[in-house]
Amino acid sequence: MALEKPAIFLKGNHEEEFLNFYSKFGTDKIKRGKILNYFGIGLDHVDWLKNNLVYYYYNDTAYFSHAGIDDSKSLEEQTEYDLIYSAFRENLDHVDDKLIFVQGHIPFHSVRYIGNHWFIDTGCGLGGHLSALVYPELKIISSNN
């Protein structure tokens, strides 16, 4: 939240589910307070999540989303559900051969790519390590290096 450099933050299924769960309690301040206390966060965190997360980021050369895309649809047809829950694990050049697609959501032992489709989730929350893809250099940074 204190990052001073310009950055884009993608919404994933866990953020979506947390915000839906939190909003389920409407104006019940006691229940909402218990949720915040359980996760050790404040209302400022909830507001930050609501105001700063996007389902995808797209530029002239790459398309970024938490869980990739539904490969049977055009980029314009992707739904929010597709972008946070998809699990397509193959090359995406049949969708767009000029773009690099970068996603997380599906943990692998190491960063991998299939054609123009990059998978950068290396299971940090499951005992693996944290990885990142520096773009546009396509340089991999990993906590296990």
Side-chain angles (χ1 to χ4, degrees), residues 30 38 85 102 115:
I30 293 172
Y38 177 82
Y85 289 106
V102 181

Side-chain angles (χ1 to χ4, degrees), residues 4 11 49 67 83 117:
E4 294 180 16
K11 181 184 272 190
L49 290 170
L83 299 169
H117 195 177

Side-chain angles (χ1 to χ4, degrees), residues 47-67:
D47 291 339
W48 188 93
L49 290 170
K50 287 179 182 177
N51 296 320
N52 291 283
L53 300 178
V54 297
Y55 286 98
Y56 68 94
Y57 174 73
Y58 169 58
N59 64 28
D60 291 337
T61 59
Y63 191 96
F64 303 84
S65 66
H66 169 72

